């Protein structure tokens, strides 16, 4: 079978499954929103328990990370991510999952060569580029404040 690229693309499009993009976007929106609502409820609970706004925010972040790691450990976060897609990636819970999942997956290779090495396989670049970007933005802001 000899096809040019245009014919091949038409063939693949005809045989490939249709993408349910509207459903996927709606699922990402409402499940990501529910994660944020849960975070707000947790923060309100901490504030009601007497923590100030900053401490309540810190405790909320820690609670969401812990919840995400627990759900990842029990293989429930992946099931949620299959339905929610990007809705689980944006909040802090997605970052916690991206650190915990490789560490759990490679624990059979040992504590150092498995868990510790794979712990930052996905999160490492995010941390490096995030830190680098914050330094660059800080320097640009500093130069801006000196000039104006």
């Amino acid at each position: 079978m000899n096809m040019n690229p245009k014919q091949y693309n038409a063939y693949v499009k005809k045989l490939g499954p249709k993408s349910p993009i509207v459903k996927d976007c709606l699922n990402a929106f409402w499940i990501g929103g529910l994660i944020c609502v849960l975070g707000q409820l947790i923060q309100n609970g901490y504030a009601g328990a007497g923590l100030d706004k900053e401490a309540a925010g810190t405790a909320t972040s820690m609670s969401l990370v812990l919840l995400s790691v627990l759900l990842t450990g029990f293989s429930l976060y992946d099931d949620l991510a299959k339905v929610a897609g990007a809705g689980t990636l944006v909040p802090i819970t997605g970052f916690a999952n991206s650190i915990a999942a490789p560490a759990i997956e490679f624990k059979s290779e040992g504590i150092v060569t498995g868990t510790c090495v794979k712990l930052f396989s996905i999160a490492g670049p995010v941390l490096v580029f995030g830190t680098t970007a914050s330094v660059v933005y800080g320097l640009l802001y500093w130069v801006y404040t000196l000039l104006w």
Side-chain angles (χ1 to χ4, degrees), residues 27-76:
N27 283 342
F29 178 77
W30 76 268
I31 293 175
L34 284 177
I35 292 171
C36 294
V37 167
L38 174 65
Q40 187 63 54
L41 291 172
I42 293 171
Q43 184 171 9
N44 291 349
Y46 283 128
L51 271 68
D52 64 26
K53 187 174 182 176
E54 186 176 334
T58 302
T60 300
S61 296
M62 291 169 39
S63 297
L64 288 172
V65 167
L66 175 66
L67 182 61
S68 175
V69 170
L70 288 174
L71 289 175
T72 300
F74 289 117
S75 297
L76 298 173

Side-chain angles (χ1 to χ4, degrees), residues 4 6 15 65 125 130 147:
N4 65 35
K6 193 174 187 179
L15 294 179
V65 167
L147 296 176

Side-chain angles (χ1 to χ4, degrees), residues 1-16:
M1 188 191 296
N2 216 358
M3 291 189 244
N4 65 35
K6 193 174 187 179
Q7 291 170 323
Y8 178 75
N9 285 338
Y11 177 72
V12 168
K13 189 174 182 179
K14 184 177 109 180
L15 294 179

Side-chain angles (χ1 to χ4, degrees), residues 101-111 113-116 118 121:
I104 292 168
E105 183 178 345
F106 291 95
K107 70 180 177 183
S108 63
E109 294 181 19
I111 190 77
T113 59
T115 301
C116 293
K118 297 297 181 181
S121 64

Side-chain angles (χ1 to χ4, degrees), residues 6 19 22 27-28 44 46 48 50-51 59 78 82 87-88 98 102 110 112 114 118 123 128 140 146:
K6 193 174 187 179
S19 175
V22 173
N27 283 342
N44 291 349
Y46 283 128
L51 271 68
D78 289 340
K82 287 177 187 172
T88 58
S98 73
V112 174
K118 297 297 181 181
V128 169
L140 290 174
L146 287 177

